[in-house]
Amino acid sequence: MKKYKKYVVAAALLIISFGYIFISNETGVARIFVNLLTFAGIYGLAAIGINVHFGWTGLLNFGHAAFMGIGAYTTILLIPHALGREGVVVENGLPLPLAVILGMLAAALLGLLLGLPTLRLRGDYLAIVTIAAAEIFRLLIRDFEDITGGVYGVIQFSDSLQNMRPNFITNLATSIDVSSSQLWVGIITWTLIICVLIILSRLQKSPWGRALRAVREDEDAVRALGKNAVWLKLQSFMLGASIGGLSGILLAFNYGTLQSSTFVPVLTFYIWAALILGGVGSLGGPALGAVIFWVIISGTDSLAEFFFDNANGQQLAGVRFVFVGILIMFTMIFTPSGILGKKEELLLEIK
Amino acid sequence: MKSNRLLEVSALQKSFGGLQAVDVDSLEFSKNQITSLIGPNGAGKTTFFDLITKFQNPDKGTLIFDSQDITALPSYKLARLGMTRTFQLTRVFEKMSVLENMQFSGSSLKYESISRSLIKGKMLNNFERELEEEVDRILELLNLSHMKYSYARELSGGQKKLLELGRALIKNPKLLLLDEPLAGVNPKLAEEILDIIQKLSIEGINIIMVEHNINAVMKISERVVVMAEGKIIADGNPDAIRSDEKVIEAYLGKVDE
């Protein structure tokens, strides 16, 4: 019975938070739910990527935004799109599935390039290098305006995805009064999460997953036993990066526009917050953590009414992250391994 | 002609700043022997171990293992050639079970690839099953069977030493390098470990060990090499070493006459 306790807690948390969203919004509940779950899915997928890095292999990656960014930019620039400022329309492009695969490969390649010189570093050094690399990536994207649209971004690319939307989803969206394009992105996101989790659960139980855990525990011992620790770390880095790339692509389709300012460092830290809430090292934890994170983000508007008479946007933005911070503090105190994490594999004791 | 030499070390040097940690002109280890490396603290024994297993890079010197020049190879490749080491401070994978510790060590590189792991064919499953039988056999030998499913961090200090030994054994090494296998182990378990080491030697595994427990060293070694201040000061069978003046001097200090 004790084994199932954390799942009961997880279910209870979900019911309470969904209940709260339901009660606190008198109108447009469906719309809020679709928005929340779509964002949560995208952040959750990104957190699953970081989980492969940190939870499985012990790599501190603080530059996940760059992997998301390169995935998004590669894919979007390969399909029909228009550049923001001049409105240069590119009508020809690759079919979307192919572009998505190339986007994920680009993210994996960036992981390889970043990993080759840095994976010899340990713990906090890798964290510093990745956060710097992510900023360099974002600034390059911003400044190469001819290709990436710079600060004006990329627009008019959503059709590639939305044209694939089956009619029944459009009908469903109309009947419950939600945005049909966001519903479609949300459904795709959660389908992909399930696919990714099925693949990862196979890998986690495999000799390869076992080897990654050994690297996480003690690299020197791994080397003494004849295994190439650097290569294992590179593989993990590339796999997690490509999952991050996939979530970046979905993020772009959810926003409908693509801008370099999306991939600021704080995006990486929101994803880390989701991962820590959900449980480092667990399979489904990151996605659950992302849902809780987004419940707080969308629930704060009504919560803030207890504190302010007429809250403005800035105050709300502040309150939001006060709540996230408090929740992370409580998680750390009461269940340091996150909601779904294993106590025995508590990983937040960074060497 | 097949040579009887297993490991040849020549002109091996390593210094840290001004300190000459290791300076070994020439040393050979032959097959079918238990060789012990002893010496006072700071003599450079562990550094010597690190150098021959390439955990540290020597400043100078050549290493030849089983007639192959290994000087330029990284540590993990040496391990693949059959040279497996343990550590002075035990390094088990704490948050993995004893079984997983052993399985990781024993699994073949072929099945550890990401693509094979994803497909998980029948061959991989069969390999894993046979591997587990092998693990059971070794755990039986080490008296660790009852801890098979425990996390490695739940083991006692001595049991961790045993697990590390087992992890090395499952690789069927040609040469086993043991860095203080008896350190921090209670006398009864130390006896057991010594028995196991002797048994392995009879089975044909070559063993070089660093150890401070002189009685144990004298009991099981066929050859003893003594180091002090980075240099080899004596080399011979246990009886010769016991009465060697330089050795007594290195351990007890110079006698004023």
Side-chain angles (χ1 to χ4, degrees):
Chain A
M1 199 54 220
K2 211 180 165 194
K3 206 174 154 190
Y4 300 104
K5 201 178 140 198
K6 60 186 179 190
Y7 297 106
V8 175
V9 170
L13 269 174
L14 278 181
I15 292 167
I16 291 170
S17 42
F18 284 162
Y20 177 76
I21 296 282
F22 197 74
I23 295 164
S24 62
N25 295 284
E26 280 154 22
T27 51
V29 177
R31 200 169 271 272
I32 289 171
F33 262 117
V34 170
N35 184 53
L36 181 158
L37 285 175
T38 308
F39 269 110
I42 293 166
Y43 276 45
L45 193 57
I48 289 168
I50 295 193
N51 195 28
V52 172
H53 292 159
F54 182 64
W56 290 18
T57 330
L59 304 169
L60 268 179
N61 164 22
F62 281 154
H64 212 50
F67 296 133
M68 298 172 73
I70 196 164
Y73 271 94
T74 309
T75 302
I76 301 302
L77 292 177
L78 285 173
I79 58 174
H81 64 274
L83 292 185
R85 188 189 188 183
E86 314 271 320
V88 186
V89 180
V90 182
E91 280 178 1
N92 299 318
L94 298 174
L96 183 64
L98 182 62
V100 169
I101 290 169
L102 288 175
M104 290 174 72
L105 282 179
L109 197 67
L110 181 69
L112 179 70
L113 284 180
L114 214 72
L116 272 177
T118 56
L119 284 179
R120 285 158 214 281
L121 304 176
R122 294 205 178 190
D124 23 11
Y125 295 100
L126 180 66
I128 294 164
V129 172
T130 47
I131 196 170
E135 274 302 85
I136 294 170
F137 167 80
R138 183 177 67 86
L139 295 173
L140 284 177
I141 289 287
R142 198 191 65 183
D143 292 343
F144 279 96
E145 203 176 298
D146 294 346
I147 309 165
T148 63
V151 283
Y152 303 98
V154 191
I155 52 173
Q156 291 170 17
F157 54 80
S158 290
D159 284 352
S160 296
L161 183 72
Q162 297 301 341
N163 286 343
M164 294 178 182
R165 187 175 65 221
N167 274 330
F168 75 91
I169 293 202
T170 318
N171 297 338
L172 177 70
T174 327
S175 69
I176 57 172
D177 189 27
V178 298
S179 147
S180 53
S181 54
Q182 193 171 39
L183 182 66
W184 181 223
V185 174
I187 288 171
I188 290 176
T189 304
W190 282 95
T191 315
L192 285 173
I193 287 186
I194 291 166
C195 297
V196 168
L197 286 182
I198 289 171
I199 292 173
L200 289 185
S201 77
R202 275 181 89 84
L203 284 177
Q204 193 176 30
K205 288 179 222 135
S206 76
W208 186 75
R210 192 169 60 206
L212 290 194
R213 260 176 293 145
V215 170
R216 180 190 79 193
E217 294 300 311
D218 194 325
E219 269 175 51
D220 282 340
V222 167
R223 246 174 280 144
L225 297 173
K227 316 289 168 105
N228 187 345
V230 174
W231 175 230
L232 284 166
K233 286 200 286 184
L234 266 180
Q235 287 178 319
S236 151
F237 213 52
M238 287 162 71
L239 177 67
S242 63
I243 296 172
L246 183 61
S247 82
I249 298 164
L250 292 164
L251 190 62
F253 279 110
N254 193 25
Y255 281 130
T257 64
L258 180 58
Q259 269 151 347
S260 61
S261 60
T262 307
F263 303 102
V264 285
V266 79
L267 175 65
T268 304
F269 292 109
Y270 292 165
I271 292 161
W272 269 93
L275 174 61
I276 289 168
L277 284 174
V280 175
S282 66
L283 212 52
L288 176 74
V291 172
I292 308 268
F293 178 86
W294 273 94
V295 165
I296 301 166
I297 300 287
S298 11
T300 28
D301 292 22
S302 50
L303 273 177
E305 282 166 15
F306 296 113
F307 299 95
F308 304 105
D309 287 336
N310 264 316
N312 62 30
Q314 232 172 357
Q315 285 167 324
L316 281 182
V319 171
R320 239 167 232 175
F321 295 109
V322 170
F323 283 125
V324 175
I326 290 173
L327 197 66
I328 289 183
M329 273 167 54
F330 275 103
T331 318
M332 290 291 96
I333 295 167
F334 295 109
T335 55
S337 42
I339 302 164
L340 288 183
K342 267 192 195 168
K343 262 203 203 78
E344 299 79 13
E345 291 195 23
L346 177 61
L347 283 167
L348 288 160
E349 26 173 304
I350 296 156
K351 281 180 228 167
Chain B
M1 192 185 83
K2 203 147 165 64
S3 100
N4 194 36
R5 287 183 209 145
L6 187 67
L7 179 67
E8 295 168 55
V9 180
S10 48
L12 193 70
Q13 288 190 0
K14 176 80 179 175
S15 59
F16 300 109
L19 178 78
Q20 188 72 36
V22 169
D23 181 6
V24 173
D25 276 342
S26 161
L27 194 60
E28 285 171 8
F29 297 95
S30 39
K31 290 178 182 164
N32 304 319
Q33 238 182 9
I34 302 182
T35 308
S36 288
L37 197 58
I38 63 168
N41 286 324
K45 303 178 300 286
T46 295
T47 310
F48 179 74
F49 250 43
D50 279 355
L51 293 179
I52 57 180
T53 51
K54 293 308 288 291
F55 269 75
Q56 293 185 40
N57 284 318
D59 300 337
K60 255 171 66 180
T62 13
L63 298 168
I64 293 171
F65 176 65
D66 217 13
S67 317
Q68 186 180 351
D69 189 340
I70 55 163
T71 318
L73 294 181
S75 54
Y76 69 89
K77 290 215 170 132
L78 295 195
R80 284 180 198 171
L81 289 176
M83 198 164 144
T84 310
R85 71 170 294 181
T86 66
F87 294 89
Q88 188 174 1
L89 301 166
T90 30
R91 297 194 127 157
V92 296
F93 305 121
E94 305 254 334
K95 285 169 233 152
M96 289 164 71
S97 69
V98 169
L99 174 64
E100 281 180 313
N101 266 269
M102 297 289 289
Q103 279 175 326
F104 166 69
S105 178
S107 79
S108 83
L109 294 168
K110 191 168 99 186
Y111 295 116
E112 225 160 52
S113 78
I114 185 166
S115 48
R116 280 204 187 242
S117 283
L118 195 59
I119 300 161
K120 268 193 198 159
K122 204 173 175 185
M123 274 172 27
L124 184 140
N125 289 334
N126 286 343
F127 177 82
E128 287 278 302
R129 201 175 313 120
E130 280 167 28
L131 182 63
E132 195 172 334
E133 282 166 19
E134 177 72 5
V135 170
D136 286 340
R137 193 184 66 78
I138 292 178
L139 290 183
E140 189 72 35
L141 174 80
L142 300 174
N143 279 330
L144 278 178
S145 299
H146 59 295
M147 301 299 276
K148 185 174 166 190
Y149 298 105
S150 311
Y151 279 93
R153 67 165 172 197
E154 293 163 19
L155 301 183
S156 71
Q159 286 172 324
K160 282 183 188 171
K161 289 262 175 205
L162 283 174
L163 175 57
E164 217 186 11
L165 188 61
R167 225 172 45 179
L169 282 182
I170 200 167
K171 299 195 76 67
N172 289 320
K174 285 186 206 154
L175 173 62
L176 191 55
L177 297 134
L178 304 171
D179 198 348
E180 300 200 19
L182 307 181
V185 175
N186 73 54
K188 187 171 161 283
L189 194 55
E191 280 297 318
E192 274 177 43
I193 294 181
L194 282 181
D195 282 346
I196 292 167
I197 292 175
Q198 267 178 320
K199 221 183 281 175
L200 295 175
S201 179
I202 292 164
E203 281 174 27
I205 298 174
N206 308 285
I207 291 165
I208 304 178
M209 65 177 197
V210 168
E211 184 48 59
H212 277 297
N213 183 338
I214 297 293
N215 289 336
V217 165
M218 294 302 173
K219 189 175 141 200
I220 70 165
S221 315
E222 283 137 305
R223 177 184 170 199
V224 178
V225 176
V226 189
M227 280 182 86
E229 291 168 5
K231 293 193 168 59
I232 309 288
I233 59 165
D235 186 350
N237 67 36
D239 290 332
I241 294 299
R242 215 190 285 269
S243 52
D244 190 299
E245 263 175 43
K246 276 198 221 147
V247 177
I248 297 167
E249 189 184 296
Y251 269 94
L252 301 174
K254 212 171 194 143
V255 186
D256 284 322
E257 288 175 22

